[in-house]
Amino acid sequence: MDRRRVLVPLTTALLAFAAAATGAQSEATAGPPPPSRPDKVVIIVVDALSKEIVDKYDMQNVQALMADGVDTPRSYLGHTGSVTVVTHNVITSGMLPKHMGWTNEGYRDVDGVLGAPGGLYLTSNFGYDQMAPLQEHAGYPHLSDYLDDTGKVFTVSPKGYAAYGLAGPGSENTSVTTFTSGPTCDGIRYRMPTGVPAPPAYISSACGSRYLVERDKGYDTLQFPAQLYPATDDRYVVGDEPAHQGGDVWATDAVLDIMDHEGDGWSGIFVSLPGVDKAAHMWGGVNDPEGATPNYDPMTHMEFATATADAQVGRIMDALEESGQLDSTLVVLTADHGSVAADEGHWHGDFEPENDYGFFNWYYGDPENDIFYNRPQEALQPLVDTGNVGFSYSDSSLNVWLTDQSPAATREAAAVMRTLPDVTAVWHRNGDHFDRVTPVRWKLMRSPGEKAWFSRKAQELVDTQAADYGPDLVATLRDDTTYSVLGDHGGIQRSTQQIPIVFAGGGLSSKDLRAEVRSIDIMPTVLRTLGIEPTYDMDGKAYWLPRAKR
């Protein structure tokens, strides 16, 4: 498949006719010229940034972008699984998970793309060599495939699977910068930049480089609840070494270096900032105890993480303005999911004083690309006891790939899932949609708002992962409930679905869109705004963004 842009002759003819008609007008009647289209795009993904978090932590640069750009007050994520490894790819493909190659943190390789047909995989372990074949097998183009005709495309993310999702399979005109294990310099172990294709040469991995960050550092996170998914290096947190800051600052420094070195030679920059996500997972999101934490180090917590992410948004916008490129650059600010903060009594994971014990809460089963996760939390044990769980992924929803998919075995598993703590309903995949196979437990829902959201959105959101490589059964959970860590993603809850989607720069006005814009709508809207004709039928809708008057 040729995934480069194809110009449609009729469109070209109409544009030529419009230009001729405009030229025929006198200067007295033509009025001021309309703003030119942007020819570049910057996408900033602040991982786990719900609208609730923006408001609670008073993220002023994000709020300014919402006020000055085209905000979408009714926006929401629009799909499940609402997880990093899914949404970064959704944003730059415009495809729902059920059409993009994988739907969640579990994946059944029904077509044998990665190995023997039927193998079960953990997708957040995917690197370029696994993600690119799945993207190519599904057959759709990425945003980078359109943009690299007119300039270089750069993707920066401390998370490898986020970087490769945003970037797509790439070409010689694209570059990915993420982390891998690095050298030991003067007795200190570091992480260093890597990528496929490789990062630019000025983002160095040599000893002494700014782009090395320290490993073997836990700060105050080696205790409950953070120890479930602790900071053990400066990959996702800024750290305490001014010359080697990690996390969001590392990613933003790379973006600014790219802008400085490439001048006007780039057409797309995609960056994800992971600091808010890491703090939310460790400390319970908006329930973070902050100063009440023993041996409190503010650097690992939500208040610091949100302030840091907000500052990086400001730095990127300032750099665009100072370089004179803001008017020619469409800026998109969004998130890959929000964050569910588990209330007391509604966290159903287990804890042992071991680093990363939360992985045993997230996963059960023996995926082809990881260890055998054989220590399920007590709350999930009745389902495991059926002997029919090939793989399960549990966060703020429960997702199960069955070993025996026969009707009788499926009914048995669904009946058990119905009884698990805080399950509101169980859904069985039936082709391209899910059938709800248990009554809704409305009594678990505490507010009219939660009930109304479930009524309007549950079926739509669950259906977005109805693919044969997706889960066989899904259990939705009540608000403020997780089975994994105290702050998590994954389900249909408003706190994980209601994320910002903002368009700014590029000559746009500050008039808001009132539509329910979703993540899948970002890609087609970007193409429309840049005047690029899509070559593939996307799931998302292209919106006209209001332009500023000159």
Side-chain angles (χ1 to χ4, degrees):
M1 170 186 163
D2 182 4
R3 305 195 305 176
R4 296 296 179 266
R5 182 176 4 146
V6 177
L7 296 178
V8 180
L10 177 59
T11 303
T12 303
L14 289 173
L15 289 173
F17 175 82
T22 301
Q25 299 180 53
S26 69
E27 290 185 7
T29 60
S36 59
R37 287 186 182 274
D39 58 7
K40 304 175 185 297
V41 61
V42 170
I43 298 179
I44 306 169
V45 184
V46 182
D47 293 9
L49 187 67
S50 66
K51 294 179 181 179
E52 178 184 23
I53 287 172
V54 172
D55 291 340
K56 175 170 180 175
Y57 294 99
D58 192 24
M59 298 178 71
Q60 295 183 13
N61 287 308
V62 172
Q63 291 168 339
L65 213 60
M66 292 175 166
D68 297 340
V70 180
D71 192 18
T72 58
R74 301 176 67 207
S75 62
Y76 65 108
L77 190 70
H79 61 264
T80 54
S82 51
V83 294
T84 298
V85 72
V86 171
T87 305
H88 281 74
N89 195 74
V90 167
I91 290 168
T92 53
S93 71
M95 306 303 294
L96 288 170
K98 66 180 180 180
H99 298 144
M100 75 174 213
W102 65 97
T103 70
N104 215 309
E105 293 219 24
Y107 166 74
R108 178 182 279 120
D109 191 12
V110 291
D111 292 336
V113 179
L114 302 180
L120 293 167
Y121 290 81
L122 200 166
T123 61
S124 59
N125 280 354
F126 283 172
Y128 178 84
D129 291 341
Q130 296 78 41
M131 198 168 283
L134 292 178
Q135 292 163 331
E136 291 174 338
H137 182 68
Y140 50 82
H142 270 70
L143 182 53
S144 60
D145 294 313
Y146 294 96
L147 295 176
D148 66 8
D149 285 345
T150 56
K152 296 180 181 178
V153 181
F154 296 88
T155 299
V156 180
S157 174
K159 295 181 183 180
Y161 53 89
Y164 298 124
L166 278 174
S171 71
E172 293 182 357
N173 216 24
T174 65
S175 173
V176 173
T177 301
T178 186
F179 270 130
T180 189
S181 299
T184 298
C185 306
D186 297 326
I188 299 173
R189 295 203 310 158
Y190 288 94
R191 288 192 179 274
M192 69 179 189
T194 188
V196 181
Y202 48 82
I203 299 180
S204 170
S205 59
C207 284
S209 167
R210 177 271 167 276
Y211 290 105
L212 298 184
V213 303
E214 288 196 28
R215 305 180 69 178
D216 309 316
K217 308 190 85 167
Y219 305 104
D220 63 347
T221 72
L222 304 182
Q223 59 184 311
F224 181 80
Q227 195 173 21
L228 288 161
Y229 183 48
T232 52
D233 58 28
D234 292 344
R235 182 179 191 176
Y236 300 144
V237 298
V238 173
D240 57 6
E241 293 297 325
H244 298 280
Q245 291 182 314
D248 295 0
V249 176
W250 180 90
T252 304
D253 282 356
V255 167
L256 300 190
D257 242 358
I258 289 165
M259 289 181 180
D260 184 54
H261 281 81
E262 302 297 331
D264 201 41
W266 60 274
S267 58
I269 296 175
F270 315 144
V271 57
S272 74
L273 306 177
V276 173
D277 178 81
K278 186 64 173 177
H281 281 311
M282 291 193 296
W283 299 113
V286 295
N287 291 342
D288 188 340
E290 294 285 351
T293 303
N295 303 310
Y296 174 59
D297 187 333
M299 187 267 298
T300 75
H301 289 261
M302 285 291 290
E303 186 172 351
F304 182 94
T306 53
T308 300
D310 191 56
Q312 307 321 302
V313 172
R315 291 178 68 204
I316 293 171
M317 296 303 294
D318 286 347
L320 287 170
E321 188 166 13
E322 290 167 6
S323 69
Q325 294 179 319
L326 184 57
D327 286 344
S328 62
T329 303
L330 173 63
V331 178
V332 182
L333 173 72
T334 190
D336 54 352
H337 53 76
S339 178
V340 174
D343 281 351
E344 185 176 356
H346 299 283
W347 176 63
H348 301 299
D350 290 345
F351 174 73
E352 294 291 341
E354 304 170 18
N355 289 351
D356 288 318
Y357 191 82
F359 285 92
F360 288 102
N361 293 332
W362 273 316
Y363 312 121
Y364 175 80
D366 191 12
E368 301 286 343
N369 58 341
D370 209 330
I371 66 169
F372 182 17
Y373 289 99
N374 59 353
R375 297 159 71 179
Q377 58 271 66
E378 183 179 353
L380 197 69
Q381 189 66 51
L383 179 63
V384 172
D385 287 343
T386 66
N388 194 25
V389 178
F391 186 75
S392 70
Y393 174 63
S394 306
D395 49 11
S396 68
S397 66
L398 308 179
N399 307 271
V400 181
W401 289 255
L402 298 173
T403 301
D404 181 353
Q405 298 170 283
S406 67
T410 300
R411 285 194 297 271
E412 178 189 9
V416 172
M417 290 176 73
R418 177 188 178 184
T419 69
L420 301 182
D422 288 329
V423 167
T424 56
V426 180
W427 313 72
H428 169 236
R429 180 174 53 80
N430 181 7
D432 65 354
H433 67 281
F434 276 83
D435 293 331
R436 182 169 54 79
V437 293
T438 68
V440 179
R441 298 168 74 187
W442 296 106
K443 290 183 179 180
L444 294 180
M445 303 182 199
R446 299 173 301 163
S447 70
E450 182 178 1
K451 294 176 181 178
W453 179 262
F454 185 97
S455 296
R456 289 199 307 121
K457 297 298 183 185
Q459 183 75 58
E460 170 200 339
L461 294 170
V462 172
D463 281 350
T464 61
Q465 60 172 328
D468 51 4
Y469 46 76
D472 300 302
L473 292 171
V474 172
T476 48
L477 304 177
R478 53 152 271 173
D479 280 0
D480 307 316
T481 298
T482 71
Y483 269 62
S484 45
V485 292
L486 265 69
D488 215 349
H489 42 45
I492 68 167
Q493 295 93 330
R494 291 168 294 173
S495 55
T496 197
Q497 286 288 325
Q498 292 180 332
I499 61 162
I501 299 177
V502 186
F503 302 92
L508 299 182
S509 77
S510 58
K511 183 178 180 180
D512 293 344
L513 287 180
R514 304 306 302 178
E516 289 190 318
V517 180
R518 304 157 296 166
S519 296
I520 55 168
D521 302 326
I522 291 172
M523 165 80 159
T525 300
V526 167
L527 293 183
R528 171 171 284 182
T529 305
L530 270 59
I532 298 175
E533 198 73 38
T535 61
Y536 197 87
D537 187 15
M538 293 169 282
D539 291 319
K541 177 179 178 179
Y543 287 94
W544 290 105
L545 300 180
R547 312 274 297 166
K549 294 181 180 179
R550 286 190 176 177

